[in-house]
């Protein structure tokens, strides 16, 4: 495959950002979804306490960190077989998503499958490995294909859609029957908003999905959103211990190491549930206010049962909607950043401050 990368999509939004910023009330940025609330105090304290770090950190992560992650997996996600030895810290999960196909040995002739509406970095990761990117929502539509990697993303970025347990179970069985690795991007797993049990996010490592075995499975999670730690570049990959050890060996050779103070901060974050529950309450309020305002303004909200976004449409080309909202001083993400199926939707993040959310509601 010829190695090419797409243009960085967010660069195309720059003129609309300038247009929105010219509003008399200033810019309301609901586009990228950057956390704006303070990093929790226990996390900052742990970082400061570990600041004297003259030696090289461990690529594998400290035992303390890996135990904290395994405890969180059991406590919050119901992963009964969580094993500290199958946990690997990473330098932010975008880095991992981009390089995972390469780290797992994918190359020319291999196929990397990901959702048709998806985080663009799944496609970039396939291209970096010189593998073939294959956007597909229905695995049966692939025909007699044995992919190297199958990405799933539930809750979805950008749509907020949650895949039911039965669907995930079928993906796992399908992939195992073909020797494919399933990688589940789960960074919004703790932000489900629907009370319907069938719409509650579930990890691919949960026994109801994987039938008690993590063979051939990896789950990726991030502290950026759940703990307001985007600036720390802190995430983890876990699952099949054989695959994790393979990743560890490559990352040791490549020097892909999470700094020691960040590892200490990560352990504190995974040990503490109270700050996540408080952040959920903030996001729930902002989500409710923005959803009501956009619906009252004539938008339809599709999916959006989880994650930190509203997937909205006025049944017009997405860039028309982006321009319309920019004139109100509101910046949103065009849906076609995530695939052709998003051409008539926009992604609205509810990660702005309460004051900026209130400003958006007032303008709408």
């Amino acid at each position: 495959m010829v190695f090419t990368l797409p243009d960085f999509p967010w660069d195309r939004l720059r003129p609309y950002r300038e247009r929105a910023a010219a509003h008399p009330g200033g810019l309301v940025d609901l586009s990228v979804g950057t956390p704006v609330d303070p990093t929790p105090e226990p996390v900052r304290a742990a970082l400061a306490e570990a600041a004297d770090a003259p030696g090289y950190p461990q690529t594998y992560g400290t035992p303390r960190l890996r135990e904290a992650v395994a405890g969180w997996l059991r406590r919050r996600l119901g992963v009964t077989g969580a094993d500290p030895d199958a946990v690997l810290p990473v330098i932010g999960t975008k880095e991992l998503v981009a390089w995972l196909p390469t780290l797992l040995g994918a190359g020319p002739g291999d196929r990397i499958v990901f959702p048709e509406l998806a985080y663009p970095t799944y496609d970039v990761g396939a291209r970096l490995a010189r593998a073939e990117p294959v956007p597909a929502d229905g695995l049966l539509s692939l025909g007699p294909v044995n992919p190297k990697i199958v990405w799933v993303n539930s809750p979805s970025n950008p749509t907020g859609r949650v895949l039911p347990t039965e669907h995930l179970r079928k993906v796992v069985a399908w992939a195992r029957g073909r020797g494919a690795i399933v990688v589940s991007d789960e960074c919004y797993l703790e932000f489900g908003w629907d009370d319907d049990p069938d719409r509650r996010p579930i990890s691919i490592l949960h026994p109801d999905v994987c039938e008690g075995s993590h063979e051939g499975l990896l789950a990726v999670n991030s502290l950026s959103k759940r703990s307001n730690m985007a600036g720390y570049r802190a995430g983890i990959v876990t699952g099949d211990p054989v695959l994790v050890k393979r990743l560890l060996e490559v990352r040791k050779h490549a020097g892909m190491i999470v700094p020691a103070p960040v590892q200490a901060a990560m352990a504190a974050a995974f040990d503490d549930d109270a700050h996540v529950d408080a952040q959920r309450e903030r996001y729930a309020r902002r989500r409710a206010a923005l959803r009501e305002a956009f619906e009252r303004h004539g938008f339809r909200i599709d999916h959006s049962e989880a994650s930190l976004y509203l997937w909205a449409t006025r049944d017009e080309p997405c860039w028309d909607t982006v321009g319309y909202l920019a004139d109100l001083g509101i910046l949103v993400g065009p849906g076609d950043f995530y695939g052709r199926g998003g051409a008539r939707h926009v992604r609205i993040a509810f990660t702005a401050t309460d004051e900026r959310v209130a400003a958006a509601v007032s303008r709408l």
Side-chain angles (χ1 to χ4, degrees), residues 310-322:
L310 299 173
W311 188 236
T313 182
R314 296 205 309 169
D315 290 315
E316 65 183 5
C318 62
W319 287 97
D320 290 354
T321 308
V322 170

Side-chain angles (χ1 to χ4, degrees), residues 240-257:
D240 185 335
V242 174
L243 294 176
V244 170
K245 291 296 172 60
R246 190 191 306 175
L247 292 172
L248 172 62
E249 289 307 310
V250 179
R251 293 176 73 85
K252 282 162 66 175
H253 282 294
M256 294 176 165
I257 311 172

Side-chain angles (χ1 to χ4, degrees), residues 154-241:
S154 175
S156 162
N157 175 16
T159 68
R161 181 186 178 196
V162 173
L163 296 176
T165 302
E166 180 60 25
H167 178 98
L168 290 171
R169 191 160 49 232
K170 287 178 179 177
V171 171
V172 169
W174 185 94
R176 283 176 171 166
R178 289 158 178 78
I181 298 167
V182 180
V183 188
S184 181
D185 183 349
E186 301 181 348
C187 72
Y188 300 103
L189 207 61
E190 291 181 276
F191 296 107
W193 310 110
D194 199 308
D195 292 331
D196 184 341
D198 293 331
R199 292 188 169 190
R200 288 179 190 159
I202 187 169
S203 173
I204 203 163
L205 303 180
H206 192 284
D208 287 352
V209 175
C210 67
E211 298 182 343
S213 170
H214 296 169
E215 182 180 358
L217 307 179
L218 291 171
V220 176
N221 220 300
S222 166
L223 289 168
S224 293
K225 302 296 177 17
R226 74 178 293 279
S227 300
N228 297 330
M229 291 173 64
Y232 286 58
R233 308 315 302 133
I236 58 104
V237 59
T238 185
D240 185 335

